[in-house]
Amino acid sequence: MKAIRDEDKKSNKYIMRFEVEKEKCNKYINDESNIMIKRTIEDYNNLVVYMADGSKPRYANIEKNKIKVLKLMRDQHFRNRKLLKRLIVKEKIAMTVAIPLLITGFGSIPLSILNDMSLFNVSAIVTFSSFALLTPLTAYGKSIAYKIEDIKKGDFVIENEEVLNEADLENQNILENVKDKDKAVIAKIKDAKDKENDKNYFDINSIGIGGFSLDALRKIKANIERENYLGLVRSDDKVKGNTESKGTAYVKK
């Protein structure tokens, strides 16, 4: 989850995302000579919370903590959402300024082919100035667009979380027309959550971890609605002889 408000960009209270960290670590104890020695290797299971200031505090990986962090992230989203209209206006202004610069920059290029040194110099100055201004303006416009999409993704997930999490992501029909880069991100999230036996693949935290597009979310929802409407037996279910799945091909198993 991107930090949208200025006051959140370096905040140690703004949650970007959280992940489960499961590894093995060495345990050290003091022996009789007060020297640290390695005794055993222990598993650790932490909830790592990534903050906007770069800090990564660790907490117990328990359901209570996950619920609390998700609530805090939802609260952040609703604060960010208050800036949506302002961001849309800024994006429109950036586009309004960028288009004339682009036209001016390209429009002055033909002057350079004329056999007139003064026109050539004017063309070079106008073209250079236009594109020099256009570069930072384009970067600014993109940063605004990313923030707008992040807010819209948060809205979409919150509004459609139940529907999205009905989907059987093993069903290729559900991921039809989803771009490969989005499929890769979704597969990564699914793998991490499967290890936790968590079948809620889409939540406000998934946006921060994955970075999949709003377009992917919309297509997945549309595909779920189509599967619900058709209620047909999938081809792989037919091969398995799984008659119980008839009419419910979209439901997770």
Side-chain angles (χ1 to χ4, degrees):
M1 176 181 284
K2 294 181 179 65
I4 307 295
R5 304 185 309 163
D6 289 339
E7 58 265 42
D8 292 330
K9 290 180 180 178
K10 297 294 182 180
S11 173
N12 67 346
K13 296 179 181 178
Y14 188 90
I15 303 167
M16 306 292 284
R17 69 184 191 278
F18 67 87
E19 295 178 353
V20 174
E21 179 184 55
K22 287 188 175 182
E23 291 186 25
K24 293 183 179 295
C25 64
N26 296 322
K27 181 181 179 181
Y28 294 87
I29 62 172
N30 289 329
D31 66 4
E32 295 176 354
S33 304
N34 202 31
I35 297 175
M36 296 292 287
I37 59 172
K38 185 170 70 174
R39 278 297 193 195
T40 60
I41 295 178
E42 289 190 345
D43 292 328
Y44 65 91
N45 185 359
N46 295 323
L47 199 66
V48 185
V49 184
Y50 293 80
M51 314 305 292
D53 70 340
S55 58
K56 297 182 287 186
R58 287 164 169 78
Y59 304 96
N61 179 24
I62 56 177
E63 192 65 19
K64 179 181 178 181
N65 282 347
K66 288 181 181 178
I67 291 172
K68 179 65 181 297
V69 176
L70 284 170
K71 181 185 181 302
L72 290 171
M73 293 181 76
R74 280 173 174 255
D75 292 343
Q76 288 176 176
H77 168 74
F78 291 125
R79 288 196 296 271
N80 289 339
R81 200 182 186 289
K82 294 178 181 178
L83 299 180
L84 182 58
K85 290 182 179 179
R86 190 184 306 174
L87 289 170
I88 291 173
V89 170
K90 287 183 178 180
E91 184 184 38
K92 288 180 178 178
I93 292 172
M95 288 293 294
T96 301
V97 176
I99 291 173
L101 284 174
L102 192 63
I103 294 171
T104 302
F106 281 111
S108 62
I109 291 175
L111 294 176
S112 64
I113 66 175
L114 299 176
N115 191 20
D116 188 321
M117 200 61 188
S118 61
L119 287 176
F120 177 84
N121 290 336
V122 170
S123 171
I125 292 170
V126 172
T127 301
F128 176 79
S129 300
S130 297
F131 287 119
L133 291 171
L134 189 62
T135 301
L137 187 63
T138 302
Y140 173 75
K142 284 184 177 179
S143 70
I144 296 295
Y146 289 145
K147 290 177 181 179
I148 291 172
E149 177 159 341
D150 209 53
I151 292 172
K152 288 183 176 180
K153 281 193 290 187
D155 278 347
F156 194 89
V157 167
I158 290 172
E159 291 170 8
N160 300 283
E161 192 168 343
E162 186 175 349
V163 174
L164 292 171
N165 285 312
E166 284 182 352
D168 176 8
L169 295 181
E170 299 293 334
N171 179 357
Q172 290 305 307
N173 291 339
I174 296 297
L175 297 177
E176 187 180 17
N177 294 325
V178 175
K179 293 179 180 178
D180 288 341
K181 63 180 182 179
D182 287 319
K183 286 181 181 178
V185 171
I186 291 167
K188 179 182 176 182
I189 293 172
K190 181 180 182 301
D191 181 63
K193 292 216 171 193
D194 282 347
K195 291 177 182 177
E196 291 289 294
N197 197 30
D198 182 356
K199 300 304 179 184
N200 290 320
Y201 302 122
F202 298 97
D203 57 34
I204 196 72
N205 186 52
S206 302
I207 299 171
I209 291 177
F212 47 74
S213 67
L214 178 59
D215 179 66
L217 291 171
R218 286 172 173 164
K219 284 177 178 173
I220 289 170
K221 185 190 176 188
N223 290 339
I224 293 169
E225 290 172 344
R226 180 197 59 206
E227 295 296 286
N228 289 352
Y229 172 74
L230 294 175
L232 301 177
V233 179
R234 285 161 40 194
S235 53
D236 55 346
D237 282 335
K238 183 178 178 181
V239 172
K240 295 175 188 176
N242 184 0
T243 57
E244 292 182 359
S245 66
K246 289 181 180 178
T248 56
Y250 59 92
V251 177
K252 289 186 285 191
K253 298 175 183 177

